[in-house]
Amino acid sequence: MSVHILDAMAREGFEEVVALHDRRSGLRGFLGVHDTVRGPAFGGIRRWTYRDEREALLDVLRLARAMTRKVALLDLPAGGGKIVLLEREGVDWPEAYRFIGRHLEGRGGRFEAGPDVATGADELREVARETRFVTDPGQGGPGELAEATAEGVFRSMAATLRALDAEEDFARRTVVVQGLGAVGLGVARRLRAVGARVLAADLAPERVEAAERELGVEPIEAGGALAVECDIFAPCALGGLLHDLTVHRLRCRAIVGAANNVLARSLVGDRLHERGILYAPDFVVNAGALVRGVVFRRAGRREDVAAIGRRIEAVLDDVLARAQAEGAPPARVAAALADDRIEAWRVAAHGGAG
Ligand code: NAI
């Protein structure tokens, strides 16, 4: 493995990275705790077919750091972390999730786990059999998380349109939604309710057909979604889709979506900026579920979805105004703002850099 893990941790200010292996279930994975200075690390459990363990390790680092940036920008009393599990043959997954539960219980609340790719209500229920430190997917939990995310994405679109044209005017807008899953469908529904034209793609044709029937969205080819002319391109499938080979194909004015780490590298954000495409940073736009989860765990309250949307919109308004004033890419402005705030928390807590 060629990742110099301790150097990477020092550079990015990580507290802890743990390699996980469970002989009984066959589980392999990593747990990353980026920062806990303001409270326990919140992070989803992602299960994915990684090429190798190096790729999984890089993913846990990127995703955990992004979580701290989210909590910092949204000013939540929490920290950032992530768990990634390597999808492979022969793993007893229910047992593996119970192993994760026991591991989290042993941490005594320093890490609180939630959903992510391939870890939904069923998997979280297994984790919850062994620990209190996990989002309850049922009646006793914070409520619908994807709805909170969808509302945050939708209100972020409003903020972005105002930054572009000084008005929202959804009725004359065209939005391309890539991925009609739990979040993408919620975004499409909100857009149609305010009269926007929605073009949508999904790898699962039945999802597109249902959205066409119920909402009047217009289907497009999944492979070409990126290149369709529109006001806003909304990536709500997977991250990493904008890189050196795809960025030139975009024909949108702005990008606002739920997927994490849409930009494969931060330089891609600079390319978008040069091309005049406004990129609303993913770690602001998609923070709705995190806000709902943290407020519930820390304050015992089920935060109203509309209030979550307004909170995210206000943060994005601020980021976009600063970016405009500085003539800088919004992703860089948001990251710097978050990192400054994290550093201030660390100084306040420990009197020095982390
Ligand atoms: P989901 O799994 O319910 O939906 C994803 C959809 O994208 C599926 O319908 C899938 O068929 C489709 N898809 C996958 N690859 C595609 C492609 N190349 N082209 C078109 N469609 C494709 O996931 P969910 O919960 O809606 O989340 C969407 C994204 O937002 C994910 O990247 C997730 O990590 C991120 N996110 C979700 C949050 C939540 O609250 N659910 C919170 C923060 C981020």
Side-chain angles (χ1 to χ4, degrees):
M1 177 173 310
S2 59
V3 183
H4 294 289
I5 182 68
L6 293 171
D7 287 344
M9 288 174 71
R11 197 173 50 242
E12 306 291 349
F14 265 79
E15 292 180 11
E16 209 181 342
V17 177
V18 179
L20 301 168
H21 172 246
D22 176 38
R23 198 170 173 162
R24 199 153 116 197
S25 63
L27 169 140
R28 288 181 179 188
F30 293 105
L31 176 150
V33 176
H34 180 254
D35 187 276
T36 56
V37 74
R38 285 253 296 176
F42 274 71
I45 304 174
R46 173 168 296 194
R47 189 167 123 202
W48 187 248
T49 310
Y50 291 101
R51 265 197 307 273
D52 50 30
E53 60 185 270
R54 177 180 181 276
E55 193 185 44
L57 185 54
L58 288 173
D59 212 28
V60 85
L61 293 173
R62 272 187 330 148
L63 291 164
R65 193 186 60 170
M67 288 303 281
T68 314
R69 284 183 169 158
K70 282 189 210 188
V71 299
L73 285 170
L74 273 297
D75 202 13
L76 297 167
K82 199 81 187 182
I83 297 175
V84 305
L85 306 179
L86 285 80
E87 183 71 79
R88 56 199 200 98
E89 285 284 301
V91 178
D92 175 349
W93 283 111
E95 179 56 35
Y97 282 103
R98 290 194 291 276
F99 169 85
I100 295 288
R102 289 191 292 278
H103 182 89
L104 295 176
E105 189 62 24
R107 296 189 149 261
R110 213 167 109 73
F111 193 112
E112 301 217 4
D116 200 273
V117 177
T119 301
D122 290 346
E123 291 77 16
L124 293 179
R125 235 169 254 122
E126 295 296 337
V127 180
R129 286 171 61 174
E130 306 284 348
T131 185
R132 299 153 283 165
F133 305 118
V134 62
T135 302
D136 181 340
Q139 295 295 320
E144 252 298 316
L145 294 177
E147 269 300 292
T149 306
E151 179 71 13
V153 174
F154 176 62
R155 293 316 311 166
S156 295
M157 289 178 174
T160 303
L161 290 171
R162 289 196 305 272
L164 282 174
D165 301 331
E167 60 174 7
E168 295 169 18
D169 202 4
F170 276 105
R172 68 174 178 87
R173 310 293 187 173
T174 301
V175 180
V176 169
V177 178
Q178 183 193 43
L180 286 168
V183 178
L185 190 64
V187 173
R189 185 171 291 121
R190 286 166 170 81
L191 287 166
R192 293 294 297 142
V194 292
R197 182 174 180 217
V198 176
L199 312 179
D202 198 293
L203 293 180
E206 67 278 6
R207 294 199 170 176
V208 184
E209 282 158 25
E212 185 181 11
R213 222 172 28 245
E214 288 159 29
L215 303 174
V217 312
E218 299 166 48
I220 52 172
E221 282 294 316
L226 199 79
V228 173
E229 192 171 350
C230 58
D231 293 291
I232 297 178
F233 173 61
C236 296
L238 287 177
L241 74 153
L242 295 182
H243 47 76
D244 297 344
L245 300 178
T246 51
V247 73
H248 69 277
R249 295 178 58 206
L250 290 163
R251 286 162 69 210
C252 56
R253 300 176 63 212
I255 299 170
V256 188
N260 282 307
N261 297 327
V262 170
L263 309 180
R265 304 188 297 139
S266 46
L267 283 178
V268 178
D270 301 342
R271 285 286 313 280
L272 292 173
H273 186 63
E274 284 157 23
R275 284 199 53 196
I277 297 173
L278 187 54
Y279 178 73
D282 49 3
F283 53 92
V284 179
V285 170
N286 70 13
L290 179 69
V291 174
R292 200 162 214 207
V294 173
V295 169
F296 183 75
R297 296 289 301 192
R298 306 288 286 172
R301 204 174 67 239
R302 275 196 170 172
E303 189 73 304
D304 175 51
V305 164
I308 293 171
R310 286 194 296 275
R311 191 164 170 175
I312 289 172
E313 184 173 5
V315 172
L316 187 59
D317 274 338
D318 180 45
V319 166
L320 295 181
R322 286 172 192 253
Q324 213 153 26
E326 296 171 22
R332 285 207 184 268
V333 170
L337 210 57
D339 293 349
D340 285 352
R341 193 170 287 175
I342 296 161
E343 191 52 35
W345 289 347
R346 286 178 174 171
V347 170
H350 308 303

